[in-house]
Structure formats: structure tokens, C-alpha cells
Amino acid sequence: MSGRGRGDGARWRRRRPLRTRLALAATAAVACVALGVCAAAFLVVRGALYRQLDLSLTQSARLAAQRNPDSGPGTLSGECRFRAAPACAEVVPADPGRDPGTPYLLPVAPAARDVAAGTRAPYYTAIVHAGHPARMLTTDYGKGRALQVALRADTVEDGIEQAAWWLALTAAAGMLLAALLGYWVSRTGLAPVTRLTATAERIAATRDPRHRIELPPPGRGREDEVTRLAGSFNTMLGELEQSLTAQRRLVADASHELRTPLTALRTNAELLARGDRLTAEQRERASLALGRQLREVTGLVNDLIELARDEEPQLLVEQVRLAPLVEYCVGAARAHWPGVAFRVRGPSPEEAVVVAGVPARLSRLLGNLLDNAAKFSPPGAEVEVGLVVRGEGGGGGGAEVTVRDHGPGIAEGDLPYVFDRFYRAGAARALPGSGLGLAMARQIARAHEAELTAEAAVGGGALFRLTFAARG
């Protein structure tokens, strides 16, 4: 039963809104404090009133002893049945055989005989006298006697009861105020969270990430955790908006780039469909054009798939000797561009310039850079490839690969955009290509924690730097 009750309570709490739970928690916390303060105040007031009554009993006992220094056992005064009367007083011997013939006014306990005999310290007792609450002090009177004095405690009891009622009302008012403050705190403290929730729901309904959460003006000391959460959410929305914008731009650019080769494919396919009207030479030329265009479209689609993924596949990373890889890529570029001269400067293939990476992806990166340089190189010009080791060799230091051409170079206004997808500078629009090679090269570089930059080379042409960071 108890386990089921706890489970039901936990489920109830989970079903309540966060605002309700926060208000209840704040109310409970303040209520506990209010109850604790009121209980402590009640104990303090009760103790103070009883200490005041005990002080009056002590003074009454001293006064009775001074007035009756040698009295024998018996009653000294008995007016305490009235609220404003002086204290009752009587003398009690240690030996019960010495008791007087008349009964005592106040109750005599065995402890009073011990006080008279000197074997016990004085003490206070709560009694009932003449049907009213009273408090009695039993103290030593000397020569085997004890003195008992008593006062009515009605005033103290009434004061304690009155204090209890006032403190109970104070605690109730405190709990009510705590509930109101808890509700106000939950509404005020969770207002940014409410706006965040509304914004998230609006984005989910409209699929429009342009919405933002309104933040307080900066520099006013209001940078609390919820405000920082709202700011982080706005930043995330900005990144999401940029991502969606880039995705839409990629789709639009891809459809634009595919339109021309697909039109050419359809034209050649329709031409070959009427092959009986063509000569053998015309059919061969159309077939070659169709095959070339198919390869171009296939390469473009593959590049689009890799770029749309926006991250490199998690392949097996290994230690790659950079110098032999550069020589291999330059050799492939020479075969693909027989009219362009490639010159390599840097360490020999035997030197241990090692980086961590995927050889096939690094080959694709360098191949794209070399193809881009060869495409813009004028006849008779060289493409210069450099490999520089920074720091210690053997994989501990960094390395830098540079590819420089002697073509028209990169205009200053085009430098920030050369790595964008489908971006083609004015000098490149008449040349073959889709504008995806450099974008893919930067994506591969970032996946290998390398930096790829472009700049205008001194003396003309473009210079691309691929920098690998040093590894510990």
C-alpha cells in the first residue's frame, strides 16, 4: 500500500505543470520556514513566561523565609487560591513524624522530604490548587525543613494560549502569503520558459525558424539562467534558419545546374532514337556526347550527395604519409591534364611527413585543388605544389600543402565565396565545372581538422593553403 501511494504521488507530480510544481515547492518551503519560526517563537514565549513566574516564586520564598526564620512545620500563608493573592507558603519537615496535626495546604511529595533532608536540590512543580492551575517551588529552609511556595498560573496559561493563537494565525497568514508569492514567482520566473515553449510550438506548427524569443535589454544585470537559455535557443534558431536556407539554396542551385546537362541528355537521346535518319558519324558523335554528359551528371549527383550530407562518413582513420600522397595526386593530375606542367617542391617521398586521415578522402581533396589550378592555368604556365613541414617530423608537427596557379587569380570580392557551393567567379563561368569542387575540398579538410584557405598569389594567380595542425 505504501509503495503504491508513493508511486501515485510521483505520477501526480509528473502530471502537474512545471509552474504548479514550482509554486507548490515555493509554498512548501516558505510554509516550513513560517511554521518553524512560529514554533520557535511559541517555545521562547512559553519559556519566558514560566521563567517570570519562577522568579516570582523565588522572590516569594525568600520573603517568606525572611519573615518567618524559625517557623516549625505547618502553613505560613494560604491566600494563593485567588489570582491576585500573595503566594501560599508552608514548611515541611524531613521526618514525617514531625508533621502538624492539621493537613498541609499544598501537596507534599517524597521529593519535598529529600529537599528538607538536603539530599535533593530545589525544584519547581506544576500542581492544581483549589481547582486552578498553579506552580510550586520546593526549596531548602534549613535545619531539616523545606519551604514550599505556590502561585496561581492562570495568567501564564492564558498568556501561552493567547500567544499560541496569535502565532497560529501568523503561520496561517504566512502560508497564504507563501502560496501567493509562490504563484507569483512561478509566473515571473517561468515567463521566459513560457515564451520559449510558445515559440517552439509556433515553429513546430509553421515550420518557420525565423521566430525569436524576446530577451530583456542587455547590460541591466538580468542575465540569469533562463535568459541565457532563451539566448541559446535563439542562437540555435539562427543556426537552424541558416541551415534551412543553405539547404534550400543547395536544392535550387542543384536544380539549376542539372537543368542544362539533363536537357542535353534528352536532346542526344532523342537524336539517337531517330538513328535511322543519321549517318554513322553522326550516331557515333551523339553516342560519345551522351556518354560524356552521363558521366558529368553522375559526377555532379555524387558530389551533391556528399555535400548534402554536410559531414564526412566515419571511415577508418590511419596514419597517412603526406609526401607520397602528394606525389600520387600530382601524377594523376598530369595524366588528366597533359597540357599543364606540375612542379612539386618539398620533402622527398621517403621523408616521414605523417598526418592522421583517410587516404581516399585526402586524395579527393588534393585532386580537386589540382584540377581547379589546372583549369585556370594559361598555356605554358606551371602549377606549383609545395609541401612544408612545421615543427618536428614523424607526425608530431604540423604540415602545409600549397597549390598555386598562374591564372587570372581571385578577385578580392570573390575571396569570401570561393568555397561556397555552386559559386563561380566571373572568370570561371565560361569554363567547365559545377562549382562544387572547392566546397567539397573544404568539407574534407574540416573533417580532418585541417584549414583550407584561398588568397591571391604574389605576382598573379591563386594560392590555396591546406594546413594540418600539429598533434601531440
Side-chain angles (χ1 to χ4, degrees), residues 68-73 91-95 98 112-113 115-118 139-147:
N68 306 278
D70 296 318
S71 296
V91 178
V92 178
D95 184 6
R98 298 178 55 194
R113 308 287 185 182
V115 173
T139 183
D140 179 41
Y141 192 59
K143 299 179 180 179
R145 294 169 298 170
L147 177 63

Side-chain angles (χ1 to χ4, degrees), residues 445-468:
R446 287 176 174 173
H448 287 78
E449 299 182 2
E451 182 180 6
L452 178 61
T453 58
E455 60 188 78
V458 179
L463 176 64
F464 290 86
R465 297 181 186 272
L466 176 62
T467 305
F468 292 91

Side-chain angles (χ1 to χ4, degrees), residues 34-50 156-157 159-168:
L35 289 175
V37 170
C38 290
F42 173 77
L43 294 177
V44 170
V45 171
R46 180 175 179 275
L49 291 176
Y50 272 113
V156 173
E157 296 290 339
I160 292 175
E161 183 177 358
Q162 187 177 10
W165 275 105
W166 279 109
L167 289 174

Side-chain angles (χ1 to χ4, degrees), residues 85-108:
C88 294
E90 64 184 17
V91 178
V92 178
D95 184 6
R98 298 178 55 194
D99 287 343
T102 59
Y104 289 107
L105 184 65
L106 302 175
V108 178

Side-chain angles (χ1 to χ4, degrees), residues 410-426:
I410 305 174
E412 185 176 354
D414 292 329
L415 277 175
Y417 310 105
V418 293
F419 295 106
D420 289 353
R421 300 164 180 171
F422 295 108
Y423 182 80
R424 303 182 74 182

